[in-house]
Amino acid sequence: MSGEMRRLSTGATTFWKSVFTPTWIAGAGAFTAAVWMDLIGSTPNTVPMRIAVLLAWVAFSSFLLWWGRRMTHVWLDGDEIVLRPGGREYRLLLSQIRGIKETRFQRVKLITLDLGRPTPVGDSVVFVAPFAFQTPFGDHPLVAELKERKERLRAGGDGNRLLH
């Protein structure tokens, strides 16, 4: 649209989605296998302990897969959000976004764009926010900017275009 896109998500999105998650699953899986094969001999290796380690690995791995798969890289092109999952490009007007939220009190600051309806990329978009100093209970500067742009667009109209 404007010719110059600005990246909103950070490289940490790739780290948490594509590096940390599989590394943690593989490392914890190796530990679980070592427990089951009795390769860790410093503690009593009972069947209930083996089952507990296996269940913990399955639970945390499932959570990390869900958590990581939601993340995507996001760009801002004028007043459009640009997403490129799987090599395809999707554009969405900021005025079409129902809500903009951020996580609080977490080490990894995530921003969620609630699309309000099912789309080819899901009904929400999650990305890792760039580092910024912010007031303890205030909005992240990027969240504040996106909300302000969204409100300006809503006041000016043109929120009827569909995601393509």
Side-chain angles (χ1 to χ4, degrees), residues 15-126:
F15 171 78
W16 289 108
K17 178 182 182 119
S18 302
V19 177
F20 176 79
T21 298
T23 301
W24 189 92
I25 291 171
F31 174 78
T32 302
V35 167
W36 274 82
M37 292 186 292
D38 204 17
L39 298 176
I40 301 174
S42 63
T43 61
N45 197 346
T46 63
V47 173
M49 187 190 74
R50 290 177 182 180
I51 292 172
V53 169
L54 178 64
L55 291 176
W57 177 69
V58 168
F60 282 114
S61 296
S62 298
F63 171 76
L64 285 174
L65 284 171
W66 167 81
W67 185 76
R69 281 190 161 175
R70 300 180 320 145
M71 292 186 208
T72 189
H73 288 287
V74 178
W75 290 265
L76 183 65
D77 187 10
D79 289 322
E80 290 183 326
I81 296 293
V82 180
L83 311 166
R84 293 186 180 145
R88 299 187 63 186
E89 183 173 291
Y90 298 97
R91 291 177 173 265
L92 179 67
L93 282 175
L94 272 171
S95 59
Q96 293 176 295
I97 295 172
R98 181 171 30 172
I100 302 168
K101 299 177 279 188
E102 63 183 293
T103 56
R104 303 234 183 245
F105 308 113
Q106 291 184 6
R107 188 176 258 341
V108 180
K109 174 66 109 178
L110 299 178
I111 295 176
T112 302
L113 306 176
D114 181 11
L115 305 180
R117 68 188 192 295
T119 67
V121 294
D123 57 359
S124 65
V125 174
V126 179

